[in-house]
Amino acid sequence: MLLVDSVSKSFGGFLAVNQVSFEVKQGEILGLIGPNGSGKSTLFNLISGTYKPTGGTVRFEQRDITNLPPDRICHLGIARTFQIPRPFKKLSLLENVVLSAYFGDDALRSEAEARRRAEQALETVGLPTDAGVSVQSLGAAGLKKLELARALSTQPRLLLADESLGGLDHQEMEQAADMLHRIRSDLGITIVWVEHIMGVLMKVVDRVLVLDYGEKIAEGLPQAVATDPKVIEVYLGDQIALA
Amino acid sequence: MKRWLPYGCIALLAVVPFAPVPLYYLHLAILILIMGLICTGWSLMGKFGLVSLGHGGFMGIAVYPMALLWNHYGLTPWLGAPIGVGLAVLLGVLIGYPAFRFRVVGHYFALITLALGEVVRLSIIAARELTGGSLGMTPLRVQPITDVSWYAVQFTDKRYFYVIALVAWLGGLWAWRLVNRSMARSALEAISEDEVAAASVGIHVTSQKLRITLLSAAMTGLGAIMLGQYNQYLNPNSLSGISISLEIVFASIVGGMYTMLGPTIGALITIVFRESLRAYFGATLTGMAETIYGLLLILFIIFMPRGLWGFVVARFAHPTGDTSRLEVAATR
């Protein structure tokens, strides 16, 4: 579905992502992990068009999307969330999502339909659909959900979920994992899930990709990756919990 | 009752010139309506964080071609005006597309537009064989001389211009309302906050910004055309350049650029204030009027950042003083 081929990104002399290649298969949940600063979010920005890669290509459903702008990539069916939530604070909660539903599908011309899709997305993530709710009333977990609702309202086939540095407690993280699982099984959306804590992620994902210093150091089934010596070295001191 | 209030006001405004109103007040009313249209156009950009310090550029490039086409080729302003507005829109594309495409935002965008107003002014002055330079130019009187010429849009009776200005101003408010009720408003609101996030949900940032800029340029160009045609005199210093550009900005801020009537109220305050200060100080203490005006502006920005009308609307809608709701109410 998504084919990332030796993609690189450098900022000045700093190589943030170095020749990373991987594939995302239809219907799977791929976990993308790595310590802070390992290039996970940069990789997301490269796929979603926010950054232009300095090398390599990205293909989505057989189509080269490497140099397309972010709005086009969204229209093609890739939605993303941001690591640090970026709500539109001047708009209400519902307006945030209606806006995304309306502009996220370039064939959509009906505001009523956009509103229907927005309400559906809000229900999926468990946020209120009444028009009066302001963004300011949401806490950290609520803002994360809003990110997801906005992404889902654009009717994606591939969701790039950046959940790292969540600031969520354990229970909230379990809920988030549960939700991603449901999004895949109920809506049939393929997911790439970024996280820097391995614990919860390992239980949900089908495969894992590990980044360190911008390079891919491991890829495979969660069980295999967790016992990979290179991964253990990177995560030395971190608890690798596999329930 | 409340539904009919706007129509009542419009009807009242429409009959004003047929009441025995002193000519001087009719003159002020015409100026206020035209400046109201221009400021409404400016605020359509300003309220979404697109602060232009060069709307004078759109004025000059619209009004001069119309007057020149009339003087040299006898082309009726009915055709000259659309050409002028078209040129203002074209200038909007020339400045807007590169600026938005390459993400020139905030102060940098303001600086680019500042240059725009001056470039147009200096160009008009430089072409002095054609435009009369800084001395200005006068559209030729229609031949044979008549009191009412629809073809030349020259009327000795001010009431004609009043009605034309009123219609154009109402058109401006209608455009404001259309924008405010469209999805474009949400999109521009989102863009003004976070362009990256806006693009990530499929909003074409450049085209949204460009469209509102072109609408703003067209309204400003139309206003300038009416101003030139009404005064029957064009001067590069009052129809382009920094001074008029800033006057538009000040009026919009004072009145309140987040409300539909705010920019017009601002134009009213500015014009009435300038006129009365000028009458009061006269030729003594030259510059005093401008000084007081400047001081008041600073006070407004500090104490009423949403403008006088924005303040009134917020107070009126939510007298309890819940400020977060006030903000929202004032933007509608």
Side-chain angles (χ1 to χ4, degrees), chain B residues 64 124-137 234-236:
Chain B
Y64 269 88
I124 293 170
I125 292 174
R128 69 172 58 81
E129 279 84 32
L130 218 54
T131 62
S134 37
L135 289 176
M137 65 176 279
L234 280 67
N235 187 299

Side-chain angles (χ1 to χ4, degrees), chain B residues 230-252:
Chain B
Y230 168 62
N231 288 330
Q232 287 291 296
Y233 172 66
L234 280 67
N235 187 299
N237 298 311
S238 59
L239 286 171
S240 64
I242 288 177
S243 126
I244 183 71
S245 300
L246 292 184
E247 194 179 318
I248 297 169
V249 179
F250 293 167
S252 304

Side-chain angles (χ1 to χ4, degrees), chain A residues 203-234:
Chain A
K203 283 184 268 175
V204 179
V205 299
D206 302 308
R207 289 189 307 130
V208 186
L209 186 83
V210 188
L211 286 184
D212 190 34
Y213 290 108
E215 291 185 38
K216 182 170 93 174
I217 60 164
E219 183 179 9
L221 299 172
Q223 199 70 45
V225 167
T227 52
D228 188 313
K230 271 195 280 184
V231 178
I232 292 172
E233 195 191 316
V234 166

Side-chain angles (χ1 to χ4, degrees), chain A residues 1 11 37 43 57 81 99 121 131 167 177 185 195 203 210:
Chain A
M1 184 177 214
F11 297 101
L43 195 56
T57 54
T81 67
L99 174 78
S185 55
E195 187 56 88
K203 283 184 268 175
V210 188

Side-chain angles (χ1 to χ4, degrees), chain A residues 75 86 89-90 95 103-104, chain B residues 185 192-194 201-202 208:
Chain A
H75 294 157
R86 298 169 87 154
K89 295 190 207 73
K90 290 184 202 159
E95 281 178 315
F103 286 97
Chain B
R185 181 190 67 87
S192 73
E193 246 183 291
D194 189 335
V201 293
Q208 289 293 340

Side-chain angles (χ1 to χ4, degrees), chain A residues 5 17 51 53 67 79 94 118-119 144 154 174 189 205 216 238:
Chain A
D5 188 16
V17 172
Y51 295 157
N67 285 308
L94 183 64
E119 283 169 355
K144 284 263 171 203
T154 67
E174 294 270 2
I189 297 172
V205 299
K216 182 170 93 174
D238 277 24

Side-chain angles (χ1 to χ4, degrees), chain B residues 93-109:
Chain B
V93 175
L94 284 178
I95 193 91
Y97 183 75
F100 301 146
R101 177 75 181 72
F102 296 106
R103 294 241 191 104
V104 181
V105 293
H107 308 307
Y108 299 99
F109 179 71

Side-chain angles (χ1 to χ4, degrees), chain B residues 111-325:
Chain B
L111 281 177
I112 286 186
T113 56
L114 188 65
L116 167 82
E118 275 304 278
V119 166
V120 171
R121 186 181 73 94
L122 293 172
S123 307
I124 293 170
I125 292 174
R128 69 172 58 81
E129 279 84 32
L130 218 54
T131 62
S134 37
L135 289 176
M137 65 176 279
T138 313
L140 296 176
R141 202 78 171 82
V142 66
Q143 297 298 333
I145 290 176
T146 53
D147 281 344
V148 177
S149 167
W150 281 102
Y151 180 75
V153 197
Q154 292 177 359
F155 311 103
T156 17
D157 190 339
K158 285 189 191 306
R159 285 181 294 189
Y160 286 93
F161 279 109
Y162 178 89
V163 173
I164 292 173
L166 182 65
V167 169
W169 173 72
L170 286 170
L173 295 188
W174 179 66
W176 173 287
R177 204 174 157 84
L178 278 186
V179 169
N180 230 13
R181 294 183 163 196
S182 71
M183 287 302 292
R185 181 190 67 87
S186 303
L188 286 161
E189 215 80 87
I191 288 168
S192 73
E193 246 183 291
D194 189 335
E195 291 198 1
V196 173
S200 85
V201 293
I203 297 171
H204 196 296
V205 175
T206 306
S207 92
Q208 289 293 340
K209 284 167 119 178
L210 198 57
R211 279 158 66 185
I212 200 74
T213 301
L214 300 190
L215 176 62
S216 180
M219 286 165 71
T220 307
L222 181 65
I225 281 167
M226 292 193 300
L227 216 49
Q229 199 62 27
Y230 168 62
N231 288 330
Q232 287 291 296
Y233 172 66
L234 280 67
N235 187 299
N237 298 311
S238 59
L239 286 171
S240 64
I242 288 177
S243 126
I244 183 71
S245 300
L246 292 184
E247 194 179 318
I248 297 169
V249 179
F250 293 167
S252 304
I253 291 174
V254 166
M257 59 177 151
Y258 300 100
T259 41
M260 182 167 76
L261 290 178
T264 305
I265 304 281
L268 184 145
I269 294 171
T270 312
I271 288 168
V272 169
F273 218 80
R274 197 184 49 205
E275 291 288 313
S276 46
L277 283 179
R278 201 170 60 191
Y280 183 74
F281 287 109
T284 64
L285 278 174
T286 329
M288 199 51 169
E290 284 79 3
T291 310
I292 292 179
Y293 182 61
L295 273 172
L296 278 172
L297 183 77
I298 293 170
L299 292 176
F300 261 105
I301 291 174
I302 295 173
F303 295 109
M304 281 186 198
R306 289 190 163 263
L308 188 68
W309 190 245
F311 179 78
V312 170
V313 167
R315 265 297 139 87
F316 207 62
H318 300 277
T320 46
D322 172 1
T323 46
S324 63
R325 298 288 301 280

